[in-house]
Structures are given as C-alpha cells and as structure tokens.
Amino acid sequence: MSAVTQSYPAEPRTLTGSKAATKMRAAGKIPLTVTKAGKESQLLTVDEKSANHLAAHVVHLCKLEIGGKTVTALRAEISKDCLTDKIKHIDLIEVDEKSEIKVDVVVHPDARNCPGVKAGGIVEQRMRKVRVLCKANAIPDVLELDLGDVQITETVYAEKIKLPPGVKLAVPAKQPVLTIVIPRQMTTADDTATAATPAEGAAAEGAAATAEGAAAGAEGAAAGAKPAAGAKPAAGAKPAAGKDAKAEAKPEAKKK
C-alpha cells in the first residue's frame, strides 16, 4: 500500500506561460499545478531537488506544504524534456485521504510458474494498468496477477487480479488484461514441418509415377519396333523368313 510519507514545500506563483516557466527552471524552480474538481487550480513551484525526488519516489500520493497549509495530492503527470530528461512541469490532483477515488494501478504478472510460458509461450500484456476504486490512503502500489495455471493461447481477464481488502475493480470483470501467445518463430517452425510432410509424400508419388511412365514407354517402344509399311529394308539386312523370302528366291531358280 502507498503510504503518505513524502511532504514537499511549495510556493505560490502568479506567472504563467512558456517564457515564465523557462525563467523559473533556470532559477532552479519547477512549475507545479494542483487541480481539484469544482475548485480553481493552484499554481505553485517546488525546488528542483524536491521535484526530482517526487518523480522518483512517489507512486500515488504525496503532501504539499503551502504557507502552513497541508494539501494531499495524487500524482498525475510529470512532463520531461525529451533531450535532457529534466522535469519541465508537474501536475497533481488534490484528494481527500478518506474519500474513495478511481485510480489506475500498475498490473504485475507473475509468470514464474506459468505452464504456458514453460511451454514456450510469451506474455502479451494488453493492459499495463487497471483502474480500481478505493480510498485515497489505501491505493495499492501494484496489482499482483498470478499466472500459475494459465496455459498457452489462454487469455486472462481483470477478474483474475488479486485485489487487496477495500479495493474494487472499476473496469468490467471480463476486460482482457493479457494473453499467453505462441511466438512467431514457433509458428513458423510448425508451418515448415507441416508443409514438408506433404511435399515429401508428393515427391515419392511423383517418382513412382515417373517410373511407371518410363516402364510403359519402354513397352510401347518394343511394341512399335516393326518397320512401317512401305519402308525399304536396310542394305545388307537379311529378309525375314516367310512369304517375302520365298518370293525373292523364285527368280534365282529361273536363271539357272
């Protein structure tokens, strides 16, 4: 649970705009705005050291000391320079510690004993944070999600998140939070193996068909070995035994 332990001194400011903010940062002051529904925003500044500490250590709640008055605020947004990573502006929301509020809390999946992960799957997280309803002074830092019984390709919904006492879901129970997906390399390997099996069978069938075709061709060639009608016999070839041989033998007998 978050504990309201961090308190930072803040000073009111009247100047607004980018030029004024640049001058404040040059002087070691970071612009800060505290908003509250139905109330005018408070324009403040904090020193750079306090701003860096707030950004690094405050998860949800902190306190601001403003002219002897203490304000409890919820961390909202911290703007940083994209090149230097220095803080440019801080936004906070004033809250009542005992009132119930809706807040987004980080989800922490525990996949150490996940069967789906052990089978080669990976966690594809759809929601990094889940909105819950609870008292401002009882906001959990993280929400634990045990994946000890989640199989590969299975989707986990918000209802499976372990909620601390006094914390309720502010999203539908069937809101998908994450899925154990099959890695692309595993899918590619399975597809390759599946495609290779029919290809090998087709190759074997093709080889058998080729062999049968060759045998049939050989038989056809043997059957068609007789000379075509009207074709002259090759020189020096012996005539086939039969009527033709007898017809050629008769003229030789007359000459004698």
Side-chain angles (χ1 to χ4, degrees):
M1 292 290 180
S2 296
V4 184
T5 57
Q6 303 299 333
S7 182
Y8 305 98
E11 299 176 356
R13 62 183 171 92
T14 56
L15 298 177
T16 59
S18 58
K19 290 185 179 180
T22 301
K23 290 182 180 180
M24 292 178 202
R25 289 191 289 268
K29 299 289 185 179
I30 304 299
L32 183 149
T33 301
V34 180
T35 59
K36 185 176 183 180
K39 185 179 178 180
E40 188 176 351
S41 299
Q42 298 185 65
L43 304 180
L44 308 169
T45 62
V46 292
D47 60 82
E48 189 173 2
K49 182 179 179 180
S50 296
N52 290 329
H53 189 279
L54 188 155
H57 297 90
V58 173
V59 179
H60 294 297
L61 296 183
C62 67
K63 287 185 177 181
L64 297 176
E65 302 293 339
I66 311 167
K69 181 182 177 181
T70 301
V71 173
T72 302
L74 175 68
R75 173 172 171 165
E77 183 178 357
I78 297 178
S79 301
K80 294 185 177 183
D81 187 282
C82 61
L83 297 178
T84 63
D85 202 37
K86 289 186 176 181
I87 298 174
K88 298 174 63 177
H89 190 275
I90 298 175
D91 285 306
L92 303 177
I93 302 172
E94 185 179 350
V95 295
D96 181 356
E97 292 185 43
K98 298 180 180 180
S99 64
E100 284 192 332
I101 61 172
K102 290 182 179 180
V103 60
D104 294 332
V105 181
V106 174
V107 177
H108 178 257
D110 184 0
R112 291 174 295 179
N113 298 315
C114 178
V117 172
K118 291 182 178 181
I122 57 176
V123 179
E124 185 179 81
Q125 197 163 346
R126 302 184 186 182
M127 297 180 67
R128 300 287 177 183
K129 295 182 179 181
V130 170
R131 180 157 294 188
V132 298
L133 176 66
C134 63
K135 289 186 177 181
N137 60 358
I139 304 172
D141 290 342
V142 296
L143 297 173
E144 297 294 338
L145 181 55
D146 185 12
L147 305 181
D149 59 349
V150 182
Q151 303 295 331
I152 197 165
T153 71
E154 186 176 348
T155 297
V156 178
Y157 302 95
E159 62 184 359
K160 190 176 176 64
I161 297 174
K162 184 179 180 181
L163 298 174
V167 180
K168 303 175 183 178
L169 284 175
V171 297
K174 292 299 182 180
Q175 180 78 39
V177 177
L178 59 83
T179 302
I180 307 300
V181 299
I182 302 174
R184 182 177 300 177
Q185 56 268 29
M186 286 182 62
T187 305
T188 304
D190 291 343
D191 291 344
T192 303
T194 303
T197 303
E200 292 175 359
E205 291 178 2
T210 302
E212 292 178 0
E219 292 178 359
K226 294 180 181 180
K232 295 181 180 180
K238 293 183 180 180
K243 294 181 179 180
D244 294 339
K246 290 180 180 179
E248 291 180 2
K250 287 181 181 179
E252 290 180 0
K254 287 181 179 182
K255 288 181 181 181
K256 292 179 180 182

